[in-house]
Amino acid sequence: PSLYDSAEDFSEGLAQVKKDYKRGFIDKTGKVIIPLQYDSAEDFSEGLAQVKKDYKWGFIDKTGKVIVPVQYDDFLDFSEGLALVKKDGKSGFVDKTGKAVIPLQYDDAYDFSKGLALVKKDGKSGFIDKTGKAVIPLQYDDAYAFSEGLAQVKKDDKWGFIDKTGKVVIALQYDGANGFSEGLVGINKGDKWGFID
């Protein structure tokens, strides 16, 4: 007879198992390393696994030790050493020790990519570095993450593009724009569409 209701593939030496709606982890000998106590879990990645208990998320290490307290409403995987976490409608970032390196102060935030993360607060968008410093101040009405070295930003109902220093590379003059793909971006003024490089 099966010991578990389901089992996942091994990842970093441990496999997630489920019984009676609770999840834990076993090693390759079948020994339970992390007791079946979580409502949900993700596979181990870079030595940590995301776990859910009582509708809250956190991270454990391979011994089962809680590294990031199981207290967050939502999270994203670690990216460039930091994980986006959400609690009580606010977003911030924690490191792999569980420390909130960037306090939960933003209304929305996105993963770090090449050292910058898009954040939104009080209806304005900008970009922060891994210390939490606003490298590109929260001055835009909307923005998208960087793609091919440029970010699409909106101000006063017009779209344009900035580089990673915040310099405007393509003036904010378009009614709409798509992200860069293969060096070109689709833009429109009024009902006319075209492409620029």
Side-chain angles (χ1 to χ4, degrees):
S2 173
L3 291 174
Y4 304 107
D5 299 331
S6 68
E8 303 293 329
D9 290 336
F10 279 89
S11 174
E12 298 189 1
L14 296 178
Q16 185 184 151
V17 291
K18 177 182 170 186
K19 187 172 179 66
D20 299 329
Y21 303 103
K22 294 295 181 185
R23 297 170 188 267
F25 292 84
I26 60 171
D27 66 14
K28 289 183 179 178
T29 71
K31 179 183 176 186
V32 175
I33 302 299
I34 296 163
L36 283 72
Q37 59 182 304
Y38 295 106
D39 303 325
S40 188
E42 300 292 330
D43 289 338
F44 275 89
S45 174
E46 297 184 26
L48 296 177
Q50 303 147 3
V51 291
K52 184 179 186 181
K53 198 172 190 179
D54 300 326
Y55 303 102
K56 299 293 182 184
W57 289 95
F59 290 84
I60 59 172
D61 68 13
K62 289 185 182 179
T63 69
K65 180 183 175 186
V66 174
I67 302 299
V68 177
V70 183
Q71 65 178 356
Y72 296 105
D73 300 328
D74 201 5
F75 66 91
L76 289 179
D77 265 333
F78 278 92
S79 173
E80 299 188 3
L82 297 178
L84 169 62
V85 291
K86 298 184 180 188
K87 186 177 180 183
D88 301 328
K90 295 295 181 185
S91 299
F93 293 85
V94 297
D95 66 14
K96 289 187 176 181
T97 70
K99 180 183 175 189
V101 177
I102 298 169
L104 281 75
Q105 60 181 306
Y106 297 105
D107 300 328
D108 208 355
Y110 300 84
D111 265 348
F112 273 91
S113 175
K114 296 185 178 173
L116 294 179
L118 169 61
V119 293
K120 301 185 178 190
K121 187 176 183 180
D122 300 329
K124 296 294 181 184
S125 299
F127 293 84
I128 59 171
D129 66 15
K130 290 185 188 178
T131 69
K133 178 186 173 191
V135 176
I136 298 168
L138 280 72
Q139 60 181 312
Y140 295 104
D141 302 327
D142 202 357
Y144 290 95
F146 279 90
S147 172
E148 298 188 20
L150 297 178
Q152 186 177 336
V153 293
K154 179 182 182 183
K155 203 175 201 180
D156 300 326
D157 285 327
K158 297 294 180 184
W159 289 93
F161 289 84
I162 59 172
D163 67 15
K164 291 194 172 182
T165 69
K167 178 185 172 188
V168 175
V169 175
I170 298 172
L172 281 70
Q173 59 181 310
Y174 299 104
D175 297 320
N178 298 326
F180 269 90
S181 176
E182 297 184 20
L184 294 176
V185 63
I187 48 89
N188 82 295
K189 279 187 173 181
D191 61 353
K192 303 293 185 189
W193 279 89
F195 288 90
I196 56 174
D197 62 15

